[in-house]
Each structure stands twice: as C-alpha cells, then as structure tokens.
Amino acid sequence: MRMRFVRPLLAVLAVAGLAACSSNPTPGSTNSPTEAPSSSATSSSTPSSTPSGKPSVSAAPGAGNAELSITLVETPESAPQSFTLVCTNGVPAAESSHPSAAEACTSLKNGPSLLSPAPMRTDQACTMQYGGPATAKVTGSVDGKEVSASFNRTDGCQIALWDAAKSVLGSDGGL
C-alpha cells in the first residue's frame, strides 16, 4: 500500500527537479554559485554569451577598414566560392568581388569583432541542431587587426556565430 504513494511522489519530485535545472536564469544572475554576476556597465569588443548560451556580439563601431579573402563552401558537392572584400571607412572598394559588399562593409564597421569570436567556453551548452554542411574561411585584416576565422553550422553555437557574420560570409548557410 505504501508503494502506491511513493511512486507518484517520486515522479513529481523528478519532474520538479528537472524543471528547476532547465529554468532560465533571471537577468543579472549567472546561475552558478562560483561565478559573480557581470556588470552591465562594462563593454566588450568581443563576442560574449547571452543567458541562453547563444553568442552575442557587443562592440563599438570600428573604422570600417578591411581587406578580406572569404572562401565559402555551401555543400560538400559544390565548388568553393571565393570573394574578396575591401572596405575603406565602411564603403566597399572597386576591387571587392563580394556579392553584397556594401552590406558586408557596413556590418564590419558596426561590429569589427564579428570575425574574431571568443573561444567557446568549456562549460557552455550548445543546442544539438544541424544547420547544414556550409563552411566558410575568412582571412585578412579588419581595422588593422589580423583575422583568421572558420565558420560552420554544426550546432546551435556555431549557427549563432554564422548568423552574426552572414553578411560578411556572403551566405545565410541555410539548407
């Protein structure tokens, strides 16, 4: 007779425990007893993570000067596409072969750190979703800083990085 009451109680406790583990943190909290909350008064020019774990880019506008070589492979069967993007003060130069050079230069001027994502934290959880086989490699310089970045869409974190830089990559990478 006692087991009839214990099993439902254990089920309710298990569901409540799972709900507590998956709850969204409140703004300003880190959901970790060892981490101090970050101050919203400080700014960073490198990508950071939002409370949902997705990377975000918060950067001061840059000079908008860039010389980039971009190689995009949409699918394993497709030939690589190569673009050159040259921007001066956020405006594309004549030698740019990028499909949407004006948009890409504006994106780099507004967020010069788009192509310099911070390394993924080892404790960061990324959604297990597949955004497609597209890959991109970007080399060159933005506002005098060397850039060498690779992008793919293998999980939620990588998809978020791609989506943030898609105007520069020349593709939304979608299936």
Side-chain angles (χ1 to χ4, degrees):
M1 197 67 157
R2 190 173 133 212
M3 289 304 280
R4 263 184 21 185
F5 298 107
V6 173
R7 283 188 183 156
L9 178 61
L10 288 176
V12 169
L13 290 174
V15 170
L18 288 174
C21 289
S22 65
S23 68
N24 290 329
T26 58
S29 74
T30 61
N31 219 19
S32 170
T34 58
E35 253 183 87
S38 61
S39 168
S40 60
T42 61
S43 68
S44 171
S45 64
T46 57
S48 60
S49 292
T50 62
S52 66
K54 291 185 179 178
S56 67
V57 177
S58 59
N65 299 319
E67 289 187 29
L68 299 172
S69 175
I70 302 153
T71 303
L72 174 68
V73 180
E74 295 276 0
T75 66
E77 299 82 28
S78 65
Q81 301 172 50
S82 295
F83 311 120
T84 301
L85 179 64
V86 180
C87 307
T88 304
N89 298 322
V91 177
E95 63 264 30
S96 293
S97 64
H98 193 280
S100 55
E103 182 182 0
C105 288
T106 300
S107 292
L108 287 172
K109 183 171 176 109
N110 292 336
S113 65
L114 281 175
L115 302 177
S116 301
M120 290 291 170
R121 296 185 342 239
T122 57
D123 66 342
Q124 182 171 346
C126 299
T127 58
M128 304 251 335
Q129 67 188 82
Y130 181 66
T135 60
K137 174 86 173 144
V138 182
T139 57
S141 66
V142 175
D143 292 342
K145 294 181 182 177
E146 290 299 312
V147 171
S148 180
S150 295
F151 294 84
N152 63 58
R153 299 178 57 80
T154 57
D155 63 35
C157 295
Q158 297 301 319
I159 292 169
L161 291 172
W162 183 293
D163 288 348
K166 70 182 174 184
S167 63
V168 177
L169 301 178
S171 169
D172 64 5
L175 293 172

